[in-house]
Amino acid sequence: MSDDCIFCKIISGAIPSKKIYEDKDVIAFHDINPAAKVHFLIVPKLHVESLQSCDATHQQLLGKILLLAPKLATEQGLKGFKTIINTGREGGQEVFHLHVHVLGG
Ligand code: 5GP
Ligand code: ZN
């Protein structure tokens, strides 16, 4: 948990979100500014800044997040989708809590 992190606040419930999935490790919610008909984010509950800050200890969590993408996309009615992970300021990352974008439709 990072005090000034918007996604940590969504995870704690301090900021509301349109949640589509939650378990002990992960949360998924609709992007506030959708770039497609369906656009949601899969976010680990652990505060990790970006893919760049991940190491072997995050391997299982990363695998879990990627496997959730097709499952949740199907539940959202998508037959195909794009996944995007922006990493670092120069990679277009704006929220420094790791997340996977899933877009389609
Ligand atoms: P990034 O550029 O860091 O990969 O993407 C951050 C994403 O988070 C953006 O698509 C932005 O619309 C979304 N976002 C930022 N703040 C909030 C928020 O408070 N709630 C939700 N649901 N999405 C947010
Ligand atoms: Zn965070």
Side-chain angles (χ1 to χ4, degrees):
M1 171 86 185
S2 168
D3 285 345
D4 53 1
C5 171
I6 196 147
F7 286 176
C8 281
K9 287 181 181 157
I10 287 176
I11 291 159
S12 76
I15 292 178
S17 70
K18 284 166 69 184
K19 201 191 303 177
I20 60 168
Y21 177 83
E22 182 169 17
D23 66 26
K24 68 179 182 20
D25 302 315
V26 175
I27 187 170
F29 50 85
H30 289 287
D31 197 290
I32 205 167
N33 185 21
K37 196 169 159 200
V38 176
H39 182 180
F40 61 87
L41 306 172
I42 309 177
V43 182
K45 289 191 170 175
L46 182 72
H47 178 88
V48 185
E49 271 199 17
S50 77
L51 204 52
Q52 199 99 58
S53 350
C54 288
D55 59 31
T57 65
H58 303 101
Q59 191 165 316
Q60 198 165 357
L61 185 59
L62 290 170
K64 180 171 183 171
I65 288 170
L66 281 187
L67 287 173
L68 265 172
K71 181 178 182 286
L72 299 180
T74 301
E75 283 175 15
Q76 293 299 308
L78 299 177
K79 294 198 168 75
F81 58 90
K82 289 183 186 177
T83 44
I84 298 172
I85 306 174
N86 295 322
T87 303
R89 255 175 237 291
E90 291 188 16
Q93 187 174 4
E94 289 176 357
V95 176
F96 287 84
H97 179 132
L98 178 67
H99 54 282
V100 176
H101 294 256
V102 179
L103 304 102

